[in-house]
Amino acid sequence: MSWGFLRDLLSGVNKYSTGVGRIWVAFVFMFRLLVYVAAAENIWKYDHDEFECNIKQPGCENVCFDHFFPVSHTRLWALQLIMVSTPSLLVVFHVAYRENREKHHNQKLYRNPGEIDGGLLCTYLISLILKIGFEIVFLVLFYKLYNGFKIPHLVKCDIRPCPNTVDCYISKPTEKMIFLYFLVATSCLCIILNLSELSYLIFKYSLKCYLKRYKKKQQ
Amino acid sequence: MDWGALHTILGGVNKHSTSIGKIWLTVLFIFRIMILVVAAERVWGDEQDDFVCNTLQPGCRNVCYDHFFPISHIRLWALQMIFVSTPALLVAMHVAYRRHEKKRQFRKGNQKCEYKDIEEIRSQRFRIEGSLWWTYTSSIFFRLIFEAVFMYAFYFMYDGFRMPRLMKCSAWPCPNTVDCFVSRPTEKTVFTIFMIAVSSICIMLNVAELCYLLAKFFLRRSKKAGNSKQHPNHENKEETKQNEMNELISDSCQNTVIGFSS
């Protein structure tokens, strides 16, 4: 079980997405998943080993590292990727439910089980809203946990058992900051893509509804 | 999830590329991505552990390493390869869109298309003409820009392509100017020069492909102009319309869609 599972999942979702949805999937693959696996994971790999405090007191480094990094950036990033990809499963489940119903009743109930209309449209809109929600929640979490998106190269720590205020040095702060900004930028772009897909769908189906009513009135 | 997934996605685009495009893709995967994964990552793997400074002052090594290597070579290369591969997705999306349109027409029962079944649409190859030509050419153009930008970023950040053995560092908290030693500088220099050389070859391939496409475009235009000049009396409105329709039919009937999941 690895990121390949998520990749296969998203490929399955691709079938039932709109054009913008497919762009979103491609974007998540290339600029978020691939960058995470190929680059970001390795930067934070030895972050605890390379975290150095100007003191020989045993335990002080551990305690300070835990205080400044309650949850590592990479773990939060991975969680974000998983949570943001999962709402698309709702759509897959709904289409599977539709196909199951058709099989059960042994007749064609829908013009095309994968077409986005009626109940599936609601599911799709809900999945988009959830995706946007998760993205925003994680961005806010990142901001609150780490006091902004900056990574300082020096932090001052005075938690027991450190005997006084000790200088602690973070490894590769510049590289980490670059990738953090990259994460924030791609997150924001994904939010924009999801918002545009949401507005496109709402606009398209309200127009359809309006035209139907107009035709009925004419008749 | 790894570079293999990228290979799957780009492999689909390969079908609709020119021969130079196919060579470019091979060079990208064999000489850049594979070398990065199999060799370069090992060479740079122990970078901060073996970066040694001639001082016992805690924190000095971290700060000096961060000062001299704001972003590691392998991360820059990984980013470069991701960015350089992305324009090919534009072509994949355009092809997917055309196939989708073809499938829609086929389902509606359009008699003009000579397909027996939907599988034929899926497996057929597109020619690089019309709007697909523009998409393809812009993707090559973007590739060139990304390659050039990353090469320049490399040169700018590391003052050339050589990895020195010794760096002098006086950032705080280092007490004075301290000697810091990079691990495996020669091996790193060799790989850096190799990657830069392959990058340059890729740039040349892209330029050649761009010239080839432009030449093809102008040749086609001059042929059309030549034909219309030779037979001015025969070229009436009906014939142009018929020619356009024939082109549209041949265009649409050659479209096949590559999905990302293929």
Side-chain angles (χ1 to χ4, degrees), chain A residues 3-4 14 50 169 173-175, chain B residues 1 59 62 66 70 72 75 173 260:
Chain A
W3 290 109
N14 217 11
E50 290 163 358
Y169 301 91
T174 313
E175 200 166 5
Chain B
M1 171 75 202
N62 274 5
D66 182 64
S72 168
R75 251 76 70 181
F260 291 123

Side-chain angles (χ1 to χ4, degrees), chain A residues 3 6 24 28 32 36 73-87 131-142 180 183-184 186-188 190-191:
Chain A
W3 290 109
L6 193 69
W24 176 85
V28 167
R32 296 178 79 177
Y36 174 82
H73 290 83
T74 29
R75 255 68 74 185
L76 262 184
W77 196 334
L79 268 177
Q80 182 185 22
L81 279 172
I82 294 171
M83 299 295 272
V84 150
S85 314
T86 320
K131 275 186 217 173
I132 295 171
F134 283 138
E135 294 272 16
I136 294 176
V137 159
F138 273 94
L139 279 178
V140 168
L141 204 64
F142 258 109
L180 202 57
L183 179 159
V184 171
T186 49
S187 247
C188 294
C190 278
I191 292 176

Side-chain angles (χ1 to χ4, degrees), chain B:
Chain B
M1 171 75 202
D2 54 3
W3 296 105
L6 188 67
H7 178 80
T8 317
I9 295 172
L10 291 186
V13 175
N14 207 13
K15 224 174 160 185
H16 307 271
S17 304
T18 60
S19 328
I20 305 177
K22 291 177 185 168
I23 297 173
W24 174 84
L25 208 69
T26 314
V27 168
L28 180 77
F29 275 103
I30 296 182
F31 292 106
R32 295 175 82 179
I33 293 179
M34 216 174 122
I35 296 285
L36 180 78
V37 169
V38 164
E41 267 179 9
R42 306 257 162 95
V43 174
W44 269 269
D46 55 5
E47 40 185 335
Q48 197 173 322
D49 291 338
D50 288 348
F51 182 78
V52 171
C53 287
N54 190 1
T55 185
L56 281 176
Q57 168 64 46
C60 177
R61 195 181 67 152
N62 274 5
V63 161
C64 289
Y65 183 85
D66 182 64
H67 179 256
F68 289 112
F69 302 109
I71 177 166
S72 168
H73 287 73
I74 24 174
R75 251 76 70 181
L76 256 186
W77 281 327
L79 273 180
Q80 181 182 17
M81 272 174 250
I82 291 172
F83 274 87
V84 151
S85 316
T86 313
L89 285 185
L90 288 175
V91 177
M93 281 186 215
H94 191 142
V95 165
Y97 170 73
R98 269 201 189 175
R99 265 202 197 144
H100 179 73
E101 291 295 306
K102 276 286 114 198
K103 278 186 185 170
R104 224 161 43 121
Q105 282 180 9
F106 181 81
R107 281 202 192 103
K108 279 185 185 167
N110 194 338
Q111 298 298 316
K112 281 184 186 160
C113 270
E114 305 123 14
Y115 297 111
K116 297 211 176 89
D117 56 42
I118 224 156
E119 282 309 310
E120 220 180 306
I121 301 178
R122 203 171 281 158
S123 58
Q124 204 162 16
R125 191 181 165 259
F126 282 122
R127 283 183 64 195
I128 304 175
E129 284 169 341
S131 52
L132 188 60
W133 183 91
W134 286 102
T135 309
Y136 196 82
T137 313
S138 14
S139 82
I140 298 179
F141 184 68
F142 280 119
R143 259 189 240 165
L144 272 169
I145 291 186
F146 287 140
E147 293 267 22
V149 162
F150 274 94
M151 288 258 273
Y152 179 71
F154 240 109
Y155 189 82
F156 179 74
M157 253 196 258
Y158 295 108
D159 278 333
F161 302 123
R162 254 193 89 235
M163 181 71 77
R165 276 188 189 158
L166 162 71
M167 293 168 159
K168 291 195 183 286
C169 173
S170 56
W172 188 85
C174 304
N176 48 31
T177 306
V178 160
D179 290 336
C180 290
F181 301 90
V182 179
S183 80
R184 308 187 214 222
T186 313
E187 202 169 2
K188 287 180 180 170
T189 308
V190 165
F191 272 97
T192 306
I193 292 177
F194 180 84
M195 294 296 262
I196 298 293
V198 181
S199 231
S200 318
I201 293 175
C202 282
I203 289 178
M204 285 195 288
L205 282 170
N206 284 330
V207 168
E209 199 176 1
L210 203 61
C211 295
Y212 166 73
L213 285 169
L214 287 169
K216 209 168 144 186
F217 175 72
F218 286 120
L219 215 73
R220 218 183 293 141
R221 268 182 92 178
S222 62
K223 255 190 195 168
K224 271 191 195 162
N227 280 343
S228 66
K229 265 191 190 164
Q230 275 186 345
H231 310 280
N233 298 328
H234 298 289
E235 190 74 16
N236 50 31
K237 273 188 185 169
E238 273 187 42
E239 214 167 16
T240 16
K241 261 195 188 162
Q242 187 62 43
N243 282 340
E244 273 178 23
M245 280 182 66
N246 286 341
E247 256 189 42
L248 268 172
I249 292 171
S250 68
D251 248 353
S252 59
C253 287
Q254 279 172 347
N255 289 346
T256 33
V257 175
I258 301 171
F260 291 123
S261 49
S262 63

